[in-house]
Amino acid sequence: MGSIATAGEAGIFTVSAPPHDPEGHTVQALRHNTDPLLSVFQPIRSGKLLSVTTSSSILLPSIPHLYKLAQYPVVIHVSLQPSHHADFSEITAIRQSGFTFLQSETLQEAQDIALTAHALAIKSGKGVIHFFDASNSAEDDAISYESRDLVKAVLDVDVARAFQSSPVGGSSLYVDDGRTATVTETNLHTLNGHGGSLNGTTPSTDKALSKATSTENSSVGSSRRDSSVDSRPTVSSATSVDSTVTRPITSEDIYNMVTEIWSQISSATGRSYHAFEYTGPRNAESALFIFGSTGLFVDELRQASTSDEFAEVGIITARLYRPWLGAKLVESVPSNVKRIAVLEQIKRKTTKWGPLLLDILTSLRTGPSASGAPVIVGHQLGYIEPATVRQALRGIFQNLNSPSPIQNLEVGNPDGPKESLRDYELEQPKVENAYMKILDQLFGERLHVANRLGAGNAGISTTISSSPEFGFGSLIARMEHRKRFIGEVQEAAKTRDFTTDVPQGWLSKWALSAEERTKANNMAQEAIARLSTDGSKLATTLLANKKLFFKESQWLIGSDAWAYDLGNSGVHHVIASGANVNMLIIDSQPYSERAAADAARRKKDIGLYAMNFGNAYVASVAVYSSYTQVLEAMIEADQFDGPSVVVAYLPYNKEDDSPLTILQETKKAVDLGYWPLYRWNPENEEKGEPNFSLDSERIKQELQDFLKRDNHLSQLMRRHPEFSANLSESYGSEVRTLQKRKAKDAYNKLLEGLYGAPLTILFASDNGNAESLAKRLGNRGKARGLKTMVMAMDDYPLEDLSNEENVVMISSTAGQGEFPQNGRAFWEAIRDSGDLDLSNVHYSVFALGDSHYWPRKEDKIYYNKPGKDLDVRVAFLGAKKLADIGLGDDQDPDSYQTGYSDWEPKLWQALGVDNVEGLPEEPPPITNEDIKIQSNFLRGTIAEGLEDISTGAISASDQQLTKFHGTYMQDDRDLRDERKAQGLEPAYAFMIRCRLNGGVATSSQWLQMDSISSSYGNETMKLTTRQTFQFHGVVKGKLKSAMRGINKALMTTIAACGDVNRNVMCSALPELSAYHRDVHQISAKISDHLLPSTTAYHEIWLKDENDKKTMVAGDAVVDHEPLYGPTYLPRKFKITIAIPPHNDTDVYAHDIGLIAIKGSSGRLEGFNVLVGGGMGVTHNNKKTYPRTGSMMGYVSAEKIHFVCEKVMLVQRDHGDRKNRKHARLKYTIDDMGVDVFRGKVEDLLGYKFEEARPFAFKSNIDTFGWQKDETGMNHFTFFIENGRIEDTAEFPMKEGLREIAKVHKGEFRLTGNQHLVLSNVSDADLPTIKDMMKHYKLDNVQFSGLRLSSSACVAFPTCGLAMAESERYLPELITKLESCLEDNGLRHDSIVMRMTGCPNGCARPWLAEVAFVGKAYGAYNMYLGGGYHGQRLNKLYRSSIKEEEILEIMKPLLKRYALERREGERFGDFVIRIGMIRETWEGKTFHDDVAEAESDGE
């Protein structure tokens, strides 16, 4: 049992699952923007026990639900509001709803009564409301938890299980479904104290009884029943002997049950409870009956002296408020009591007499006890200051004891304390501010939100003022006000009451155009300015309403509460009115298949609802999916003359959900059509344009049906044929089931004609190893005469498993001992199945893993965990082993093949096919070298694959080849699971990387890149760690257009990836422009010199309409690769140039690192040459390591491109082409030796390297802010966190840079640290640029030194190699460290921190002072000790740690650094000096002497 929360009100919704349910209890938080208590129906009808914790503000809106829920065992814990002076009227208003009401006052009572409420709900089958005033217990001491033994004893588990095992069903929310809480009893005459038994609750099955008991039950809490406990129908004992009767629960039954529960609590704890409780002297003649806050009165009465008028006074309270048991009240009041003052803390009275007063009068002044009844005087209890309690008591008893007491005398302040007036006001959740900020940005002073929270509507609660009805009324009033204002301006323009004649002319012009938005708003500022300088009384009067000069953009802001029946009427009124009002309705319900399928939720699709009217502009938007579309929709809504509805998606579970969580939820909803993005404009028809614009690829069934009605769907499909398959189908889990069945049946048909024993091979594979093994095993099985079938586990229909004869399961290990994605659903079904019989199945399992991947002893359970778990579970379900489980270990000499070679022969032996002769020779696996040589100079079948519209993917071999063309195929990993569940292929899209020599782009190129990202990508640009542009989310159908767009900007993508020389980098060097120009020209010369010569790029991507090649350069017609040859290089090849003292390109980390040497003239003279740097590593494979470059010597500038060529040629001819993990230049040099390698390069050059020239690096980070170069030109370095250029509601960065590019006359320089330099701004242009930067918030570089020195790779969701988050998580981690930096005076200290999602090293983490490298989702290896100048490698400090451990390590370490560092000592040097980590200068020692040694064994 537990507790529901509403936004702005703490609380929880808890479901108690049946005892056999492995999920146990679930807790769900709800917000104000949902229909109150609606979510209770589905689980309670499914046989789950629920409790709700909430504030009293939801009770009145929930009345339609309360009357039905009263007949279910639901418990609602209600905290009365406001917290400083609770209003009990919300309890009295629902007292006749049929619920049982229990009240507690102290903390201990709250715990006991909460337990009572749950036990009573189970026993009675009826709803229980437990209410309390939190201020009563605010000062209580802490109490201990209730004893578990007592809880078990009090809760009737057997009855609970009976309820859970018999789901009720039903779907109606507002119509009575006939359910009535009943009791079954035997020997009825014994119930009254002589051994009767209450045998739980069962829904009535007799229709006549059901009809009769519905009335009977509803009166339990009614006024007719409130006065007596004797209202239960009398049943003759003679007719009930040896009979069983089912009847509705009555008031007396409730009393007997609650008394029994309290008796158990009393026996165990000594704490006693009664329906009515009297405290005070038994001989008291006066008493207070308090229905409100009792704390202050109790304390004061205890301290009363004998001379006080209120001495010797008792207090009566109602513990069991409903059913009202009048006889029990009579019993509880001592006979000596002659006068009772009734204090009711009720703010909203609807009758002259208070409800409690009427209850008491009915009980004590009627019936047998009426003759000696005490005098009863009602009082209205307001807020009483602690200092005035005695005065209040004195006034109460003076009135009570007077000969003619005043009824309904008010005591205290009825409005409550002043400081609590805003104690309980609604607040807009912070996460929803995104849409408000966009409205503010778009409309500025023109924006008017009629129901904005905190608008200060005098005397009206925020609950009412934030409603659509109130907002609409207020807008109508404002429109009328503006009409009157226009009339006042027209009259003012005719008068002579201004100081000068100037305002009259402007007012006349304005009045003529007051209803035309553009003209009125343009003239408004002028009119206001003239009035401001006039100073006359009339001018001052008009200025009091100066906002009315603007033709406002008027909005109502609502939540998805407006989509439910209780809030939808206001929306209806706005749309039906036809008024020019805009509504922004924010839907915050996260996507889930369960919620989407729950028809009983009665949540309307407001977009469809509005479109059906035909007179409204409608848009469906999601700021975390398409910021641009949100802007378009809001602008169009503002321009539309009539009602506009913008439904905006912002899914969150908690108000502190991270942007990453909201982004992932949004992507799922949009991708699967749960939240389609579209715009509907009825005015477009008059312009000959389509009314409906689809801005996402999928629509849900309801929207599809609407479009079909008006033939809009067919029009849409004609306009967007690429969407037709998505638009014309509905997706669901049944599609996935059908796909599995078809695949299995197709296999069976193939095998029908074959002979031999069947062998089904199922695999679960993340990186392809398990899949390759499975397919190879299948081929070998066929060669041995077996009928083999190979499928991914998740593609296999599980219901067929028990009919298989022989099954082999091969699984790799993902994350922290998890199943790979394509085996997860299969495993979960196997694990959770209780009735799967595999007794006729023979099986074996082979598992792939790494025994050292999780080095701590306690984590060894993760080694090959999926395979081991599968082996145990399948055996448990009765299957018989063909061979013991095989374990492949990456740490073995031949990796997993070692264990596999031992396991496979045992399998063949068990199947009786081990001695088969004449087996065919297996073809060797196809390698990257094979793909390259067979590709016809990088053509492959790329062109054909682009034309295939049946899939968003391309073939595996083409995926390798497109890298050479500058593009990678990826899929959105945020959406994988959801799309798989829907039977869809992954959300394939492509990453495009440009080739940008030295990272320098013109303004026109920047604008073209911005346009490409918006038109073809995901509306963002990535500035990479290799100084170039990268686009994500380009679908296959747009790939060629994007490539042509890049070509149009005189840029290319060829050789941006692949086994060739990639983008050549160069230091940004804003302070020395001439020197930078020298070096940049060399970078371009090297890049062009090493460019591949194939014409395949032009042929595939750049053909014009006449099928003619559009050349970027050259006119080659026959392919020839003079430098690369047909197989190109063994692996990628990277070159960079650093200009001392800046190592901002990490010169030590590349295959070739060139250190620019300045001559005496101040211009470039030559380069020191480093070779053999490289960052790629494989976790736990000590044969792989990062390496810093080795010094070759010095070469003059005019020869350097030839030197780069010869180094590359030595690598081409001597690099490892058999093992790609050992193919980089760094391994070639270490295998060969530096001197030997130098000699081979010098042999090709024909001369030797000169001695290296002296140089010094001071940092490898960027210098932010404005700098002036030697020519007087200005340069500004922007901080672009992790290189992501995008627009958000808080920061329109992309828009700002786009607008600057339109006017900027200089260039943009991308830095190796993913930042951006606005270069060559003249002094004349400086003010304009600075103003624009300020407007778009681009001038801010006041970030912590740690943040400014950080860098991260892309990782999730697009990178297929990512094991953990990086770009999306590093900013959050730094935020959590910044308070520690502030506390220790380190805010401005530069500490180089880098994060990558995998060990391939894109963000060059191995050189950082502190680095985090993804190991599994949420887990990272931590490295320390890199050199601040990028000259030294770091080393493993901790393996596989999560955020909590990261913070536990970093915070004390940062404090120690602040206290113990030496003058000028960098963080990386410090951790080495204090002995935390060993320094590492050579890649071959990277794995030696790590701080956390890996343990052996399992």
Side-chain angles (χ1 to χ4, degrees):
M1 290 292 187
S3 328
I4 274 183
T6 54
E9 309 169 330
I12 311 162
F13 168 66
T14 304
V15 179
S16 177
H20 61 272
D21 187 340
E23 294 182 0
H25 297 66
T26 59
V27 179
Q28 176 185 349
L30 297 183
R31 300 176 293 278
H32 242 302
N33 54 352
T34 56
D35 204 346
L37 301 185
L38 189 62
S39 296
V40 172
F41 282 96
Q42 190 270 334
I44 195 70
R45 284 170 166 162
S46 301
K48 295 183 178 180
L49 295 173
L50 277 83
S51 74
V52 176
T53 300
T54 185
S55 73
S56 55
S57 63
I58 77 153
L59 295 178
L60 295 184
S62 301
I63 284 177
H65 303 315
L66 287 173
Y67 279 88
K68 290 196 68 179
L69 288 174
Q71 305 305 318
Y72 294 89
V74 176
V75 177
I76 305 178
H77 302 285
V78 177
S79 175
L80 299 176
Q81 297 291 334
S83 59
H84 292 295
H85 180 56
D87 182 6
F88 282 66
S89 62
E90 282 164 325
I91 295 295
T92 60
I94 61 169
R95 66 190 185 279
Q96 297 182 24
S97 61
F99 271 82
T100 299
F101 288 78
L102 296 170
Q103 181 181 198
S104 65
E105 294 164 81
T106 67
L107 198 56
Q108 183 63 65
E109 287 176 6
Q111 182 167 269
D112 290 345
I113 299 305
L115 176 59
T116 303
H118 290 292
L120 182 58
I122 291 171
K123 287 178 182 291
S124 67
K126 285 178 61 64
V128 179
I129 291 177
H130 163 220
F131 63 96
F132 53 89
D133 175 3
S135 64
N136 268 337
S137 56
E139 304 298 326
D140 286 10
D141 294 331
I143 61 171
S144 58
Y145 289 111
E146 206 80 87
S147 159
R148 291 180 67 88
D149 292 336
L150 175 59
V151 173
K152 286 180 180 179
V154 171
L155 294 179
D156 195 330
V157 179
D158 291 335
V159 174
R161 284 181 175 152
F163 174 79
Q164 291 170 326
S165 63
S166 56
V168 179
S171 60
S172 171
L173 292 179
Y174 304 118
V175 181
D176 191 351
D177 58 8
R179 175 179 169 82
T180 304
T182 60
V183 62
T184 302
E185 49 187 29
T186 307
N187 296 333
L188 196 61
H189 68 282
T190 65
L191 185 63
N192 296 318
H194 302 289
S197 63
L198 296 175
N199 297 322
T201 62
T202 56
S204 174
T205 56
D206 185 283
K207 290 185 179 178
L209 177 60
S210 212
K211 190 172 182 180
T213 56
S214 178
T215 306
E216 185 71 26
N217 186 70
S218 67
S219 65
V220 169
S222 72
S223 57
R224 182 171 59 84
R225 287 195 164 272
D226 287 348
S227 62
S228 172
V229 299
D230 300 322
S231 53
R232 200 190 79 196
T234 304
V235 183
S236 166
S237 60
T239 61
S240 57
V241 173
D242 298 324
S243 64
T244 300
V245 176
T246 299
R247 57 170 179 77
I249 293 287
T250 67
S251 303
E252 185 178 358
D253 296 331
I254 296 292
Y255 176 74
N256 289 336
M257 291 174 188
V258 78
T259 301
E260 180 187 346
I261 294 166
W262 283 337
S263 176
Q264 288 177 279
I265 293 175
S266 179
S267 299
T269 67
R271 296 188 292 272
S272 298
Y273 298 100
H274 306 280
F276 294 94
E277 296 188 347
Y278 173 87
T279 56
R282 299 304 298 178
N283 61 348
E285 294 188 359
S286 298
L288 293 175
F289 195 125
I290 304 176
F291 194 59
S293 304
T294 59
L296 290 173
F297 294 112
V298 170
D299 293 340
E300 197 62 45
L301 290 172
R302 281 176 183 161
Q303 300 168 13
S305 63
T306 54
S307 61
D308 286 326
E309 292 176 74
F310 45 84
E312 298 297 316
V313 167
I315 293 180
I316 309 167
T317 53
R319 181 75 61 206
L320 178 64
Y321 175 56
R322 281 297 185 274
W324 181 268
L325 305 174
K328 301 304 173 186
L329 174 60
V330 173
E331 292 174 11
S332 66
V333 179
S335 58
N336 293 333
V337 172
K338 305 301 182 189
R339 295 179 183 84
I340 298 177
V342 179
L343 307 182
E344 296 182 78
Q345 196 165 306
I346 294 172
K347 293 183 181 178
R348 291 193 291 269
K349 259 180 55 177
T350 56
T351 59
K352 180 178 181 181
W353 309 106
L356 187 75
L357 180 64
L358 294 175
D359 286 336
I360 296 172
L361 287 170
T362 304
S363 300
L364 300 183
R365 301 300 293 272
T366 60
S369 59
S371 58
V375 174
I376 300 169
V377 181
H379 296 74
Q380 298 304 309
L381 183 59
Y383 175 73
I384 299 174
E385 293 280 352
T388 62
V389 176
R390 291 179 63 82
Q391 179 183 340
L393 282 170
R394 193 176 298 118
I396 291 168
F397 283 98
Q398 284 176 354
N399 183 51
L400 181 63
N401 294 325
S402 70
S404 301
I406 301 171
Q407 290 287 355
N408 287 330
L409 181 69
E410 287 190 354
V411 181
N413 180 359
D415 296 325
K418 291 181 181 178
E419 65 271 18
S420 69
L421 290 178
R422 293 182 59 83
D423 173 64
Y424 185 67
E425 289 195 358
L426 294 177
E427 294 180 2
Q428 179 172 335
K430 291 180 182 177
V431 295
E432 294 183 9
N433 287 342
Y435 290 107
M436 289 302 301
K437 288 179 179 177
I438 294 174
L439 284 175
D440 285 331
Q441 288 170 12
L442 284 175
F443 305 119
E445 290 187 356
R446 287 208 303 118
L447 177 66
H448 175 73
V449 179
N451 60 340
R452 187 192 291 266
L453 291 172
N457 298 289
I460 300 172
S461 74
T462 51
T463 304
I464 295 172
S465 64
S466 64
S467 68
E469 293 89 345
F470 179 89
F472 181 49
S474 116
L475 281 181
I476 296 299
R478 191 168 182 83
M479 292 174 189
E480 293 296 327
H481 186 184
R482 190 169 188 271
K483 284 181 182 177
R484 292 195 302 272
F485 181 73
I486 294 171
E488 291 168 7
V489 170
Q490 289 170 337
E491 290 299 318
K494 300 174 185 175
T495 69
R496 298 289 179 182
D497 295 340
F498 293 108
T499 305
T500 67
D501 295 336
V502 174
Q504 291 168 299
W506 280 100
L507 292 179
S508 297
K509 290 179 186 177
W510 178 85
L512 291 172
S513 306
E515 294 295 346
E516 297 178 47
R517 179 186 295 103
T518 305
K519 290 183 179 179
N521 293 333
N522 288 339
M523 285 188 279
Q525 292 286 12
E526 293 292 340
I528 292 170
R530 299 304 185 276
L531 290 173
S532 298
T533 57
D534 185 78
S536 66
K537 185 178 179 181
L538 180 55
T540 304
T541 302
L542 293 175
L543 285 173
N545 290 303
K546 65 181 181 181
K547 282 201 75 172
L548 296 178
F549 277 104
F550 294 95
K551 178 74 171 174
E552 293 174 329
S553 182
Q554 298 180 324
W555 290 81
L556 292 173
I557 311 294
S559 70
D560 49 2
W562 293 11
Y564 294 100
D565 290 331
L566 296 180
N568 192 240
S569 58
V571 176
H572 169 85
H573 289 317
V574 176
I575 299 172
S577 73
N580 190 10
V581 174
N582 306 308
M583 285 188 287
L584 173 66
I585 301 174
I586 300 173
D587 192 314
S588 57
Q589 179 185 337
Y591 167 78
S592 74
E593 219 172 325
R594 176 181 58 79
D598 184 4
R601 295 182 64 83
R602 289 289 179 91
K603 186 173 181 180
K604 289 180 172 60
D605 185 321
I606 292 184
L608 281 176
Y609 184 75
M611 281 195 285
N612 275 294
F613 272 83
N615 69 331
Y617 174 89
V618 184
S620 175
V621 304
V623 69
Y624 278 84
S625 178
S626 177
Y627 178 85
T628 304
Q629 192 241 1
V630 177
L631 297 179
E632 290 174 343
M634 288 181 171
I635 292 169
E636 289 174 359
D638 176 62
Q639 293 172 347
F640 184 77
D641 187 14
S644 298
V645 178
V646 178
V647 283
Y649 197 49
L650 197 77
Y652 64 94
N653 288 299
K654 305 187 298 295
E655 289 180 27
D656 59 352
D657 274 356
S658 69
L660 173 56
T661 303
I662 299 171
L663 170 70
Q664 290 172 324
E665 282 290 339
T666 302
K667 287 169 69 175
K668 290 177 191 175
V670 172
D671 181 74
L672 295 173
Y674 172 78
W675 192 270
L677 305 183
Y678 62 81
R679 285 165 292 141
W680 167 273
N681 191 341
E683 290 181 346
N684 282 355
E685 203 161 357
E686 300 171 8
K687 307 173 192 174
E689 297 174 4
N691 288 2
F692 186 82
S693 300
L694 181 67
D695 299 317
S696 60
E697 291 195 18
R698 258 179 206 88
I699 57 175
K700 54 186 174 182
Q701 183 67 49
E702 297 91 337
L703 182 55
Q704 179 180 317
D705 293 341
F706 170 82
L707 293 169
K708 278 181 178 176
R709 283 200 300 273
D710 290 332
N711 201 31
H712 291 294
L713 184 65
S714 56
Q715 295 172 25
L716 189 65
M717 289 166 66
R718 281 197 296 271
R719 288 200 311 276
H720 301 286
E722 69 274 22
F723 292 165
S724 60
N726 297 334
L727 294 172
S728 59
E729 292 183 28
S730 296
Y731 295 101
S733 55
E734 70 281 356
V735 177
R736 184 74 179 139
T737 304
L738 184 62
Q739 288 175 336
K740 290 182 182 181
R741 170 55 51 213
K742 283 184 176 179
K744 177 70 164 39
D745 290 347
Y747 253 120
N748 288 340
K749 193 168 184 180
L750 274 173
L751 298 175
E752 275 176 6
L754 301 178
Y755 298 96
L759 176 63
T760 298
I761 303 168
L762 306 177
F763 64 83
S765 179
D766 257 351
N767 58 13
N769 288 336
E771 182 176 0
S772 297
L773 274 186
K775 290 178 178 177
R776 190 177 75 181
L777 184 68
N779 290 332
R780 289 179 177 179
K782 285 178 185 175
R784 285 170 162 76
L786 301 175
K787 292 195 292 185
T788 61
M789 176 175 68
V790 182
M791 297 182 77
M793 291 181 185
D794 279 3
D795 290 336
Y796 181 84
L798 189 64
E799 63 270 17
D800 286 3
L801 189 59
S802 57
N803 299 320
E804 297 287 356
E805 186 175 332
N806 302 304
V807 179
V808 167
M809 287 165 275
I810 300 177
S811 177
S812 58
T813 306
Q816 203 158 359
E818 298 156 13
F819 263 82
Q821 201 157 22
N822 59 356
R824 212 166 287 165
F826 177 86
W827 162 245
E828 288 169 357
I830 287 273
R831 180 195 63 197
D832 298 338
S833 175
D835 55 0
L836 187 62
D837 181 8
L838 301 183
S839 56
N840 294 322
V841 177
H842 298 83
Y843 83 100
S844 187
V845 174
F846 185 78
L848 295 84
D850 185 336
S851 59
H852 286 190
Y853 198 80
W854 299 97
R856 301 177 190 176
K857 288 185 182 295
E858 62 268 26
D859 292 339
K860 287 299 180 182
I861 58 168
Y862 302 135
Y863 168 58
N864 273 326
K865 188 175 186 296
K868 291 177 180 178
D869 288 349
L870 196 56
D871 183 54
V872 171
R873 183 62 182 167
V874 172
F876 175 79
L877 293 172
K880 303 172 185 65
K881 287 190 179 182
L882 288 166
D884 287 339
I885 184 173
L887 300 177
D889 189 350
D890 282 350
Q891 297 301 316
D892 285 339
D894 293 323
S895 187
Y896 59 82
Q897 296 286 359
T898 303
Y900 182 81
S901 299
D902 182 52
W903 171 81
E904 186 184 312
K906 296 176 183 176
L907 175 67
W908 300 139
Q909 186 177 12
L911 291 168
V913 292
D914 51 325
N915 294 318
V916 177
E917 295 181 1
L919 290 173
E921 191 172 318
E922 288 184 358
I926 295 176
T927 66
N928 280 61
E929 295 302 308
D930 298 324
I931 293 171
K932 285 185 282 187
I933 202 166
Q934 294 168 16
S935 71
N936 187 18
F937 295 95
L938 307 182
R939 286 172 176 79
T941 57
I942 295 172
E944 293 83 351
L946 293 174
E947 298 300 319
D948 181 4
I949 61 172
S950 67
T951 175
I954 56 176
S955 69
S957 59
D958 286 343
Q959 288 174 43
Q960 297 301 319
L961 295 174
T962 52
K963 294 177 183 179
F964 291 79
H965 297 258
T967 181
Y968 279 72
M969 191 184 87
Q970 302 174 327
D971 77 287
D972 194 322
R973 296 173 68 179
D974 284 344
L975 303 175
R976 272 187 189 173
D977 288 341
E978 290 292 343
R979 290 182 68 88
K980 191 169 190 177
Q982 298 290 331
L984 303 170
E985 71 176 9
Y988 292 119
F990 290 78
M991 177 273 285
I992 299 177
R993 185 182 296 153
C994 296
R995 188 179 180 91
L996 187 66
N997 300 330
V1000 176
T1002 64
S1003 291
S1004 61
Q1005 286 174 328
W1006 182 276
L1007 289 171
Q1008 183 70 358
M1009 296 303 101
D1010 179 276
S1011 174
I1012 289 168
S1013 69
S1014 297
S1015 301
Y1016 306 118
N1018 63 358
E1019 299 185 16
T1020 74
M1021 286 193 293
K1022 174 79 172 180
L1023 309 185
T1024 75
T1025 53
R1026 295 198 56 73
Q1027 289 184 297
T1028 189
F1029 297 100
Q1030 199 161 284
F1031 307 109
H1032 292 272
V1034 182
V1035 296
K1036 189 170 75 172
K1038 296 180 179 179
L1039 196 54
K1040 190 175 284 190
S1041 298
M1043 292 292 202
R1044 289 177 174 176
I1046 292 168
N1047 180 247
K1048 192 181 293 184
L1050 301 180
M1051 292 167 61
T1052 183
T1053 67
I1054 189 169
C1057 323
D1059 299 342
V1060 287
N1061 175 59
R1062 300 187 178 185
N1063 195 53
V1064 179
M1065 298 174 65
C1066 172
S1067 288
L1069 199 69
E1071 69 269 32
L1072 293 172
S1073 285
Y1075 189 28
H1076 174 266
R1077 195 178 309 113
D1078 292 345
V1079 180
H1080 179 259
Q1081 287 173 355
I1082 293 293
S1083 73
K1085 188 175 185 180
I1086 295 170
S1087 178
D1088 293 343
H1089 183 67
L1090 300 182
L1091 203 64
S1093 300
T1094 177
T1095 60
Y1097 183 85
H1098 317 291
E1099 182 181 310
I1100 293 170
W1101 306 109
L1102 305 178
K1103 286 180 181 176
D1104 61 18
E1105 293 175 357
N1106 299 317
D1107 205 31
K1108 294 178 181 177
K1109 295 174 185 176
T1110 304
M1111 296 294 181
V1112 175
D1115 56 357
V1117 292
V1118 179
D1119 275 337
H1120 175 57
E1121 289 287 7
L1123 288 179
Y1124 291 102
T1127 55
Y1128 296 86
L1129 299 180
R1131 278 293 256 124
K1132 66 181 83 170
F1133 199 84
K1134 299 179 179 180
I1135 300 175
T1136 190
I1137 305 175
I1139 307 176
H1142 305 289
N1143 185 19
D1144 54 341
T1145 63
D1146 273 328
V1147 72
Y1148 293 96
H1150 294 73
D1151 295 274
I1152 298 178
L1154 304 178
I1155 301 170
I1157 302 299
K1158 189 190 298 185
S1160 57
S1161 64
R1163 304 297 288 268
L1164 177 67
E1165 186 172 276
F1167 297 91
N1168 286 345
V1169 180
L1170 298 166
V1171 298
M1175 294 286 102
V1177 175
T1178 300
H1179 278 314
N1180 295 90
N1181 185 344
K1182 293 183 179 179
K1183 296 176 183 177
T1184 66
Y1185 49 81
R1187 187 183 190 279
T1188 52
S1190 300
M1191 182 63 72
M1192 292 285 103
Y1194 171 82
V1195 176
S1196 61
E1198 69 275 7
K1199 298 178 181 177
I1200 195 62
H1201 60 294
F1202 291 115
V1203 172
C1204 291
E1205 174 197 314
K1206 304 312 178 190
V1207 172
M1208 190 181 80
L1209 292 180
V1210 174
Q1211 165 64 357
R1212 181 196 69 184
D1213 297 338
H1214 296 276
D1216 189 344
R1217 290 183 181 268
K1218 293 182 179 178
N1219 180 3
R1220 286 183 67 81
K1221 290 183 184 294
H1222 190 256
R1224 288 292 298 275
L1225 177 62
K1226 59 182 174 179
Y1227 300 116
T1228 306
I1229 291 176
D1230 278 348
D1231 291 346
M1232 190 181 288
V1234 174
D1235 292 338
V1236 174
F1237 184 86
R1238 182 189 290 111
K1240 289 189 177 294
V1241 174
E1242 290 174 341
D1243 288 345
L1244 292 176
L1245 286 170
Y1247 56 84
K1248 294 186 180 296
F1249 288 99
E1250 298 179 34
E1251 285 294 317
R1253 303 290 172 88
F1255 66 93
F1257 287 126
K1258 293 183 179 178
S1259 80
N1260 70 345
I1261 65 168
D1262 296 328
T1263 303
F1264 297 94
W1266 285 106
Q1267 296 180 77
K1268 194 176 278 287
D1269 68 18
E1270 77 280 15
T1271 67
M1273 299 297 278
N1274 301 284
H1275 307 258
F1276 185 88
T1277 303
F1278 299 99
F1279 172 67
I1280 311 291
E1281 190 156 32
N1282 299 319
R1284 182 62 64 183
I1285 305 281
E1286 63 182 339
D1287 281 335
T1288 66
E1290 292 78 15
F1291 186 17
M1293 179 203 304
K1294 189 165 181 277
E1295 181 187 355
L1297 290 171
R1298 178 169 61 250
E1299 294 305 312
I1300 287 173
K1302 290 176 182 178
V1303 301
H1304 179 45
K1305 299 167 186 172
E1307 64 196 19
F1308 289 86
R1309 299 181 192 173
L1310 284 61
T1311 80
N1313 290 310
Q1314 302 176 290
H1315 303 301
L1316 180 65
V1317 183
L1318 187 71
S1319 284
N1320 295 320
V1321 179
S1322 68
D1323 286 345
D1325 294 332
L1326 199 57
T1328 300
I1329 296 294
K1330 283 187 174 181
D1331 286 345
M1332 295 181 75
M1333 287 168 56
K1334 183 177 182 180
H1335 176 74
Y1336 290 104
K1337 306 176 186 177
L1338 286 164
D1339 56 351
N1340 183 17
V1341 292
Q1342 299 305 308
F1343 301 97
S1344 69
L1346 179 64
R1347 193 176 294 275
L1348 291 171
S1349 308
S1350 66
S1351 184
C1353 70
V1354 175
F1356 283 94
T1358 52
C1359 179
L1361 301 174
M1363 301 171 182
E1365 292 283 0
S1366 181
E1367 178 191 324
R1368 300 192 297 191
Y1369 172 57
L1370 182 59
E1372 292 182 26
L1373 179 63
I1374 291 174
T1375 298
K1376 292 175 181 178
L1377 289 170
E1378 281 177 326
S1379 60
C1380 175
L1381 295 171
E1382 290 276 4
D1383 294 343
N1384 292 288
L1386 296 173
R1387 173 173 170 76
H1388 300 293
D1389 287 74
S1390 173
I1391 299 173
V1392 179
M1393 176 183 284
R1394 292 175 181 171
M1395 177 177 282
T1396 57
C1398 77
N1400 286 292
C1402 291
R1404 304 187 286 274
W1406 316 114
L1407 296 174
E1409 294 180 286
V1410 55
F1412 300 97
V1413 178
K1415 194 83 179 286
Y1417 200 83
Y1420 299 84
N1421 280 0
M1422 179 178 182
Y1423 296 83
L1424 292 174
Y1428 181 74
H1429 304 148
Q1431 79 284 15
R1432 182 180 63 231
L1433 295 170
N1434 50 32
K1435 195 179 284 290
L1436 178 66
Y1437 178 69
R1438 288 288 182 270
S1439 177
S1440 312
I1441 59 174
K1442 298 193 175 183
E1443 182 180 276
E1444 184 179 357
E1445 293 172 89
I1446 292 172
L1447 297 176
E1448 286 175 357
I1449 293 168
M1450 284 300 299
K1451 288 183 176 181
L1453 181 56
L1454 289 170
K1455 182 176 183 179
R1456 187 176 178 189
Y1457 174 57
L1459 295 173
E1460 300 179 20
R1461 61 178 169 169
R1462 295 172 179 169
E1463 183 68 29
E1465 186 174 34
R1466 293 294 180 181
F1467 184 79
D1469 301 326
F1470 172 76
V1471 294
I1472 291 171
R1473 179 175 64 80
I1474 65 174
M1476 285 188 71
I1477 208 77
R1478 297 285 186 91
E1479 64 180 356
T1480 307
W1481 292 100
E1482 193 176 352
K1484 288 185 285 188
T1485 65
F1486 177 72
H1487 297 289
D1488 300 340
D1489 301 318
V1490 295
E1492 183 176 73
E1494 295 182 343
S1495 55
D1496 293 325
E1498 286 186 42

